Amino acid sequence: MADQSGIAGGATGTQAPGGPGYGVQPPAGYGYGAALPSGKATASMVLGILGLVLIPIILPIIALCLGISARRMADRGEGGGRGQAVAGIVMGWVGIAFALLGVTVATVQGISAM
């Protein structure tokens, strides 16, 4: 039964456990999201993009190596950024394929010009 103060049971000045000042405790593990991407994963993705656009021979190879290393680290749980690492691996392979295609075309044109 509530008295005029509005507190059940007529007790004045008492608080329920966990009242003001304590707040609600977050669930276990709250605030710990996915691990941040590692520097290798980010560098792999950036070098893969630059390798497709600027330097198609050297940068894709570096992006591929960094991507494989970053993906292994993410699989072991030592860092995040597995998606960026895979993107760097894919762009590294595509960049290497474009570089090989360019070398092949240049070779064929050089041979046919003789």
Side-chain angles (χ1 to χ4, degrees):
M1 176 167 217
D3 60 2
Q4 292 177 350
S5 65
I7 300 174
T12 58
T14 60
Q15 296 179 357
Y22 294 102
V24 177
Q25 295 295 322
Y30 182 77
Y32 299 101
L36 293 175
S38 67
K40 284 183 181 181
T42 304
S44 170
M45 187 178 70
V46 169
L47 290 176
I49 292 170
L50 292 176
L52 291 175
V53 178
L54 295 177
I55 306 171
I57 296 174
I58 298 169
L59 292 182
I61 296 171
I62 298 171
L64 182 64
C65 295
L66 285 175
I68 290 171
S69 176
R71 187 182 66 185
R72 287 181 181 166
M73 282 178 55
D75 288 344
R76 288 190 306 254
E78 295 175 2
R82 189 176 196 282
Q84 288 181 347
V86 170
I89 292 170
V90 169
M91 286 186 280
W93 279 118
V94 170
I96 290 171
F98 282 161
L100 291 176
L101 181 66
V103 168
T104 304
V105 168
T107 303
V108 168
Q109 286 181 351
I111 292 173
S112 65
M114 291 181 159

